[in-house]
Amino acid sequence: MSTTTYQLVKNPLGMFSVAPMPSKATLDQFYKEKYYQAEMSSYQSEYSLDELTYFLSEVESSIAICQSLSPLPEQPRLLDVGCGEGFFAAQCHKQGWHVHLCDYSQYGLQHHNPQLMAFFEQGDVLQTLEGLIAQQRKFELINLKNVLEHVIDPQALMTALTQLLAVNGAIRIEVPNDYSAFQSLLQQHNKTDNTWFCPPEHLHYFNKDSLKAFVANCGLRLAFMTGDFPIEMYLANDFSNYAQDRSRGKQAHLSRVMINNYVFTQGVDKHVEYLRCMAEVGLSRNLTVYVTQ
């Protein structure tokens, strides 16, 4: 494992990146070891029905947003880049979408949604995208969840994705909301350190303003922005601060699931508005933007 000491550098867009930037060979080795450890573990993670509803709420709200931006065809096409365990694509597939998935590892997908393996490509993401571009494939929705912060050149990734976007299609980009104003407030009150700084796994760090600037710099239009449950609010309370006591993390997560699912029961439109407000006030742990050409 690398012993490189990484620094944080702010670029003109306001986005933070690590320096020095690791080589592709270094990252390949890092993820090879990471996924090997996951596959060799005797622990097989499973999800409760409440957690599966939590995943469902994300997909349903995402589809509603896409539909509001431009009417979807009868059988839309989804490209899920960095598909992970495949829950997003699985729900779309159930609703009649044509799906194509890619990731560095098949481990999560094989365990949780093996029915999608026929639509899956394993390997380097950029090489996969180059193949799809050569085939002139197009997609109404490209899902990029927790990927942008991992790649060496996020702008090159976005350039490739725009070539795969169907007319009136959208790219859904989800990233952690890092170095946010609320995180700064928590640090000022000694509630947490910058635990979100984790190279070489995360190479780039976005907040609301820098994500907007990044999208604009890629020549794309920001059509909609959402957040998620503000789990970091638990850090403001010494009795629920999971950064100071990791044993509290599970309860924080379960609370997030319960509250999110309650909002979802009030209707998809209200759930979307809740997510929009979380992004607007800057409290959400993650940010999601829907961008178009």
Side-chain angles (χ1 to χ4, degrees):
M1 189 62 67
S2 172
T3 57
T4 303
T5 299
Y6 294 98
Q7 304 296 323
L8 202 61
V9 176
K10 189 175 185 179
N11 73 14
L13 297 176
M15 183 177 90
F16 289 100
S17 301
V18 303
M21 190 62 63
S23 66
K24 183 179 183 300
T26 297
L27 285 184
D28 286 345
Q29 183 61 31
F30 172 79
Y31 284 109
K32 180 180 178 181
E33 294 178 8
K34 176 181 177 180
Y35 287 116
Y36 175 80
Q37 291 169 3
E39 291 170 15
M40 291 300 103
S41 172
S42 60
Y43 174 73
Q44 297 291 328
S45 62
E46 301 294 343
Y47 294 104
S48 67
L49 288 176
D50 285 340
E51 288 172 313
L52 294 175
T53 300
Y54 181 84
F55 299 151
L56 171 66
S57 73
E58 176 185 58
V59 184
E60 291 298 320
S61 291
S62 298
I63 292 175
I65 291 169
C66 291
Q67 189 73 42
S68 72
L69 300 178
S70 181
L72 292 168
E74 185 175 341
Q75 291 185 308
R77 296 161 292 181
L78 167 72
L79 174 60
D80 200 349
V81 180
C83 61
E85 295 163 333
F87 288 106
F88 193 100
Q91 185 59 31
C92 289
H93 188 247
K94 284 181 182 178
Q95 296 186 24
W97 289 57
H98 296 292
V99 300
H100 194 89
L101 305 84
C102 61
D103 208 326
Y104 186 86
S105 169
Q106 68 175 5
Y107 173 70
L109 185 67
Q110 180 69 62
H111 180 64
H112 291 284
N113 286 288
Q115 75 279 10
L116 297 180
M117 288 299 297
F119 313 110
F120 174 73
E121 281 191 68
Q122 180 176 355
D124 179 81
V125 165
L126 280 175
Q127 289 180 4
T128 299
L129 298 182
E130 288 171 3
L132 294 173
I133 291 169
Q135 298 168 35
Q136 298 185 329
R137 297 284 295 275
K138 298 292 180 181
F139 301 89
E140 277 73 35
L141 176 60
I142 300 175
N143 187 40
L144 193 69
K145 179 175 179 176
N146 298 131
V147 173
L148 204 61
E149 66 271 21
H150 294 271
V151 300
I152 293 173
D153 189 345
Q155 191 144 4
L157 175 59
M158 295 306 300
T159 298
L161 292 179
T162 56
Q163 297 178 66
L164 294 165
L165 203 56
V167 175
N168 297 324
I171 306 175
R172 179 187 184 274
I173 308 168
E174 182 176 340
V175 294
N177 182 19
D178 287 332
Y179 295 96
S180 66
F182 185 61
Q183 287 176 340
S184 295
L185 178 65
L186 291 169
Q187 287 184 289
Q188 290 168 19
H189 288 269
N190 298 315
K191 300 296 185 180
T192 187
D193 295 321
N194 63 333
T195 55
W196 43 88
F197 182 64
C198 53
E201 186 163 8
H202 288 191
L203 304 177
H204 308 281
Y205 300 84
F206 302 87
N207 56 33
K208 183 172 67 171
D209 292 334
S210 63
L211 184 56
K212 288 180 178 180
F214 171 78
V215 166
N217 194 59
C218 291
L220 296 168
R221 182 180 74 89
L222 174 59
F224 206 86
M225 174 181 279
T226 62
D228 62 359
F229 181 79
I231 196 168
E232 287 176 322
M233 71 180 184
Y234 291 123
L235 304 183
N237 184 334
D238 290 339
F239 295 99
S240 61
N241 189 319
Y242 57 83
Q244 296 175 355
D245 183 349
R246 291 295 179 178
S247 69
R248 296 167 176 156
K250 183 176 181 179
Q251 286 303 313
H253 166 67
L254 293 177
S255 296
R256 165 175 58 186
V257 169
M258 182 176 69
I259 295 169
N260 173 83
N261 290 357
Y262 166 75
V263 177
F264 184 55
T265 65
Q266 305 307 297
V268 172
D269 289 347
K270 290 183 179 178
H271 188 251
V272 169
E273 181 60 14
Y274 152 72
L275 298 176
R276 188 197 66 78
C277 290
M278 290 300 100
E280 182 64 28
V281 299
L283 282 175
S284 61
R285 183 62 193 94
N286 296 283
L287 293 168
T288 303
V289 290
Y290 297 77
V291 300
T292 59
Q293 290 182 297

